[in-house]
Amino acid sequence: MKERFRQLPEPLQQQVIRRFVVAVVFVLLFFIALFGFWDVYLFLPCLLFAGFFIVNALRLFYTFIRGDYISVSGTCIRVETTAIRKRVKSLTLEYEEEVPRLLTVSIHERIKRLSVGDTVTVYLSEKTPVYNRNGAYLIYDYYAVEIRKGA
């Protein structure tokens, strides 16, 4: 099992680890609330959140080791940012299929070091809905984004 985990790409490993860490935090909060306060209204939500994140992490790990994900690599040709805080809203990749295609990814996490010309790999589910807008594909959901500078 450990070898299968190590064979996964690093961004996917990080997603699984993040969810397990959140689950461990909620387990610790559960024990603190249970033995410190003896209040059902405090420890029951912690237990439920811990269970949710453990199941979520295991489900995600099982999906990854089965190989039920797609990775799309391409060159970033456009980065759309917000007006005030300059956070990345979306990025557009040019990737090769039979002909060069465009893929616009709506970003839902903080990405700091992205610029035009970087090589970007997007990991997404096989079941992710893909929309067509202005001749480019558009996705709103993904597992992880990997950025390689100037590659």
Side-chain angles (χ1 to χ4, degrees):
M1 196 63 81
K2 188 184 254 187
E3 288 301 318
R4 286 184 176 178
F5 181 74
R6 289 186 182 179
Q7 290 173 355
L8 292 175
E10 185 179 337
L12 299 181
Q13 290 177 4
Q14 290 176 355
Q15 286 296 320
V16 173
I17 290 170
R18 282 182 195 157
R19 293 176 193 204
F20 272 121
V21 166
V22 171
V24 167
V25 166
F26 276 111
V27 167
L28 291 174
L29 286 174
F30 164 72
F31 285 119
I32 290 170
L34 177 66
F35 296 120
F37 301 107
W38 292 94
D39 188 10
V40 167
Y41 294 113
L42 288 177
F43 73 76
L44 189 60
C46 293
L47 183 64
L48 292 175
F49 280 127
F52 170 77
F53 281 109
I54 288 171
V55 169
N56 189 294
L58 289 174
R59 197 181 113 251
L60 193 64
F61 178 64
Y62 183 66
T63 299
F64 292 160
I65 62 171
R66 273 193 330 213
D68 291 343
Y69 65 91
I70 300 169
S71 64
V72 179
S73 294
T75 306
C76 179
I77 60 171
R78 186 170 66 96
V79 178
E80 184 180 349
T81 59
T82 59
I84 297 173
R85 296 184 66 193
K86 301 297 182 199
R87 291 179 66 177
V88 176
K89 283 182 8 181
S90 68
L91 60 93
T92 302
L93 303 177
E94 182 177 45
Y95 69 97
E96 296 286 331
E97 207 171 51
E98 291 108 25
V99 295
R101 301 226 181 219
L102 297 178
L103 175 69
T104 302
V105 181
S106 180
I107 301 297
H108 55 77
E109 62 188 40
R110 183 170 282 173
I111 297 178
K112 295 180 182 177
R113 52 181 180 85
L114 178 65
S115 59
V116 174
D118 292 345
T119 301
V120 178
T121 303
V122 180
Y123 298 95
L124 50 123
S125 171
E126 290 181 341
K127 299 174 185 175
T128 300
V130 179
Y131 305 100
N132 193 352
R133 182 176 73 178
N134 300 332
Y137 295 123
L138 176 67
I139 61 170
Y140 291 106
D141 192 27
Y142 57 88
Y143 290 132
V145 174
E146 180 180 23
I147 300 167
R148 281 177 257 128
K149 292 301 241 179

